[in-house]
Amino acid sequence: LIIADEPTTALDVSIQAQIITLLKKLCREHGTAVMLVTHDMGVIAETADRVAVMYAGRLAEIGPVQAVIHQPQHPYTAGLMGSIPAIGQEVERLPQIEGSMPRLDAIPKGCAFNPRCPKVFGRCREERPDLLPAGATRAACWLHAPQGGNTDEHGYPRMNTDGR
């Protein structure tokens, strides 16, 4: 297993390509697995089979790269993917995730993303979700909890009178 922490950060595109080619060659010739730690979604899309998206030190979503990139199931992953410009896309301003990351010594109760989440509801503020099946991926989000039909007209979980 090769663990590569930000192997292409601050390198020009041609050197990045050489690093990626070398990693792929090592995998192929030696049966080696590579774990990339990176913020570069282009590198992930080019090299990885699976991706784990983390927020505040915890897994937010994990699954096949193409599924996570094209059908993100966690609101944080969706925000990340929405902030990447598409070729030929003309927008005045890219979408952004409102707010800021919590300090690791001040992670909020419940889902760590809840203060910034556009789909937050009561349970998110009270209970931290585990990874739940979410299409082709697994997401740590209460939107994917079995509801037994207890959703509103938009598909969001209904809140109980106590806000959960």
Side-chain angles (χ1 to χ4, degrees):
L1 172 65
I2 297 171
I3 300 173
D5 189 357
E6 298 284 359
T8 59
T9 299
L11 300 176
D12 68 54
V13 177
S14 62
I15 300 298
Q16 283 185 358
Q18 290 176 39
I19 299 290
I20 291 168
T21 300
L22 176 62
L23 290 170
K24 287 181 175 182
K25 182 180 176 186
L26 287 169
C27 288
R28 190 175 53 253
E29 292 178 359
H30 300 285
T32 304
V34 177
M35 179 177 22
L36 289 173
V37 179
T38 184
H39 293 86
D40 189 330
M41 291 306 293
V43 169
I44 291 168
E46 179 67 26
T47 60
D49 298 318
R50 294 180 53 78
V51 62
V53 177
M54 296 186 72
Y55 183 82
R58 298 202 171 115
L59 285 175
E61 185 167 358
I62 188 167
V65 168
Q66 293 304 312
V68 172
I69 289 173
H70 297 295
Q71 294 105 27
Q73 298 297 310
H74 191 283
Y76 176 64
T77 309
L80 288 178
M81 296 302 107
S83 68
I84 299 171
I87 295 174
Q89 178 185 29
E90 291 190 28
V91 294
E92 195 170 305
R93 185 179 172 140
L94 290 172
Q96 65 182 25
I97 299 171
E98 297 299 325
S100 58
M101 292 277 298
R103 292 188 337 260
L104 293 181
D105 65 348
I107 294 175
K109 183 177 177 183
C111 173
F113 189 59
N114 85 69
R116 303 176 70 192
C117 185
K119 296 182 177 183
V120 67
F121 58 98
R123 189 174 187 185
C124 306
R125 293 183 182 97
E126 298 298 321
E127 298 176 58
R128 187 177 91 208
D130 290 324
L131 287 169
L132 300 167
T137 73
R138 294 175 57 81
C141 182
W142 291 121
L143 292 172
H144 301 289
Q147 297 297 320
N150 191 17
T151 57
D152 68 15
E153 66 277 10
H154 305 289
Y156 296 122
R158 291 190 192 281
M159 291 187 203
N160 294 333
T161 55
D162 65 352
R164 292 187 183 165

